[in-house]
Amino acid sequence: TVINTHVSFGDKRTAQLARLAVEAAVAPGLAVVCGDFNADRATCAAELGDELVAAVPLDGLHTRPRQVPSEKSQDIDHVFVRGGKALEASVLDGETRSDHNPVRVKLRFASVP
């Protein structure tokens, strides 16, 4: 099951993340929750709970690069997995096609060695 989301910024976020966690928990097999979370990975992970594990890109590109200095996170697009494992995660250069860069994740189902 793949759940793509665009979580609101601010007060609505907590309820939206709680709903996403429930939907992922009841999905059979591998569940992936991904999209624009409008918050940093640690904030989202804390609210989603331990069942959903973040795929962490290691390449250094930001998912939401900002041209003007801001207190907002530059990494707000995430992939969380339940019932599987993220083997590789990277942020691709969107080449200014959007104000966000795409995130690519290679996944393994939990039942596959």
Side-chain angles (χ1 to χ4, degrees), residues 3-63:
I3 303 168
N4 184 26
T5 189
H6 188 170
V7 176
S8 297
F9 183 81
D11 295 340
K12 296 179 181 180
R13 180 181 64 224
T14 298
Q16 291 172 354
L17 290 174
R19 171 74 189 272
L20 291 167
V22 167
E23 293 299 327
V26 299
L30 176 70
V32 177
V33 180
C34 59
D36 179 349
F37 286 80
N38 275 308
D40 63 273
R41 186 178 303 106
T43 297
C44 296
E47 292 191 42
L48 287 169
D50 294 338
E51 291 293 313
L52 286 160
V53 178
V56 181
L58 301 175
D59 50 21
L61 286 177
H62 294 294
T63 67

